[in-house]
């Protein structure tokens, strides 16, 4: 069996690394004295995507998202309120997506520890061009009878 060698190496990281203080903007704090810490675990070559481990103590604060962020709660719980419908309670194992431009009130009940995946969204015109290019590549691969390259989409996700 031959080994397929990737043209670029993968990045491997572990959670549980030492976290450094990452103070929440004081004007964003609504109540309490939350203390946040983080560490960057991995990043793309151009820094348009990166992975971070983050934790925070009890408190309530607003958070403003300038990047797309997907969060996986590893420990603790939090109540999130984006002003659209009832507030949501998240605990261990829950995953949430925050699109760039959103504002969410976080109420950390005791402690929360998360793994976060960040992505710099492309401008709409550039995003449209990327979608067209990907579709054309898939069509060309299909016509040539080659295995499709990853579309970057999870099954069942548009």
């Amino acid at each position: 069996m031959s080994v397929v060698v990737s043209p670029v190496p993968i990045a491997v990281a572990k959670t549980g690394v030492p976290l450094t203080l990452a103070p929440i903007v004081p004007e964003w704090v609504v109540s309490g004295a939350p203390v946040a810490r983080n560490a960057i675990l991995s990043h793309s070559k151009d820094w348009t995507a990166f992975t971070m481990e983050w934790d925070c103590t009890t408190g309530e604060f607003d958070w403003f998202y300038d990047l797309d962020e997907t969060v996986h709660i590893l420990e603790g719980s939090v109540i999130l309120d984006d002003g659209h419908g009832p507030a949501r309670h998240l605990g261990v194992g829950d995953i949430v997506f925050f699109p760039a431009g959103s504002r969410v009130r976080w109420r950390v009940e005791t402690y929360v520890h998360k793994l976060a995946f960040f992505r710099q969204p492309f401008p709409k015109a550039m995003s449209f061009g990327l979608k067209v290019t990907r579709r054309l590549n898939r069509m060309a691969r299909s016509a040539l009878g080659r295995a499709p390259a990853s579309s970057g989409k999870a099954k069942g996700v548009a």
Side-chain angles (χ1 to χ4, degrees):
M1 178 173 176
S2 64
V3 175
V4 176
V5 178
S6 171
V8 293
I10 62 172
V12 178
K14 291 184 182 236
T15 58
V17 300
L19 304 179
T20 58
L21 285 176
I24 296 168
V25 176
E27 293 78 26
W28 296 4
V29 176
V30 175
S31 66
V35 176
R37 304 177 307 157
N38 69 29
I40 293 177
L41 303 176
S42 64
H43 61 83
S44 63
K45 191 174 184 177
D46 62 3
W47 279 90
T48 58
F50 61 97
T51 308
M52 178 184 290
E53 186 173 355
W54 182 90
D55 72 0
C56 186
T57 60
T58 304
E60 188 170 349
F61 51 90
D62 291 328
W63 199 266
F64 300 85
Y65 294 84
D66 57 350
L67 301 171
D68 288 342
E69 181 178 344
T70 300
V71 166
H72 180 212
I73 304 295
L74 301 173
E75 184 179 349
S77 62
V78 63
I79 296 172
L80 302 176
D81 189 354
D82 65 358
H84 296 276
R88 296 163 184 90
H89 184 271
L90 277 80
V92 175
D94 288 333
I95 297 171
V96 61
F97 174 71
F98 302 98
S102 59
R103 181 196 70 84
V104 177
R105 175 143 312 160
W106 283 66
R107 189 167 77 218
V108 179
E109 299 175 301
T110 55
Y111 169 80
V112 69
H113 182 200
K114 71 179 186 178
L115 186 59
F117 305 91
F118 297 87
R119 182 184 74 87
Q120 175 67 54
F122 291 114
K124 288 188 187 238
M126 192 178 209
S127 182
F128 176 75
L130 184 60
K131 286 179 185 178
V132 169
T133 300
R134 284 182 176 162
R135 174 161 282 181
L136 290 171
N137 282 339
R138 280 195 306 271
M139 290 168 55
R141 285 182 159 292
S142 178
L144 295 172
R146 294 184 183 161
S150 171
S151 66
K153 293 183 185 177
K155 291 217 181 258
V157 176

